[in-house]
Amino acid sequence: MAKITYIEHNGTEHMVDVANGLTVMEGARDNNIPGIEADCGGACACSTCHVYIAPEWVEKIPAKDDMEEDMLDFAFEPDPARSRLTCQIKVSDALDGLIVHMPEKQI
């Protein structure tokens, strides 16, 4: 289990416990956190679960694969260093304390 903080574009914070094995996107969906739409349901076929990883976490999570990198081209204002699709980040104890910031909108 990991405690993850989702921060909306307006600064509203949501700190929730997410079970190991789920994705960061599923944690948002299961806890009704606004700002992560996840239109494709986690298939890495859209960019509507885009977030910006807090700078101190960028090097602590697994690297993006090519498919995620390609989908981020369709995200709203992607940041080459910090943008990630939450459907591609599996939760583990190592992610306890993770902070993600939502963009102004999802495309």
Side-chain angles (χ1 to χ4, degrees), residues 24-40:
V24 175
M25 180 275 292
E26 290 169 320
R29 180 198 63 201
D30 294 352
N31 288 282
N32 300 310
I33 295 175
I36 295 181
E37 297 169 11
D39 289 344
C40 74

Side-chain angles (χ1 to χ4, degrees), residues 42-101:
C44 198
C46 71
S47 62
T48 62
C49 68
H50 169 233
V51 297
Y52 303 109
I53 303 296
E56 64 272 20
W57 279 93
V58 170
E59 298 298 321
K60 296 178 184 177
I61 58 176
K64 302 174 228 182
D65 65 17
D66 291 339
M67 187 165 62
E68 180 180 0
E69 194 77 61
D70 289 345
M71 289 311 306
L72 282 167
D73 289 340
F74 301 102
F76 179 75
E77 297 183 350
D79 177 313
R82 296 182 50 219
S83 286
R84 292 300 301 264
L85 298 180
T86 55
C87 69
Q88 299 302 296
I89 305 171
K90 287 273 189 207
V91 174
S92 69
D93 290 341
L95 293 186
D96 189 40
L98 176 66
I99 300 167
V100 299
H101 299 263

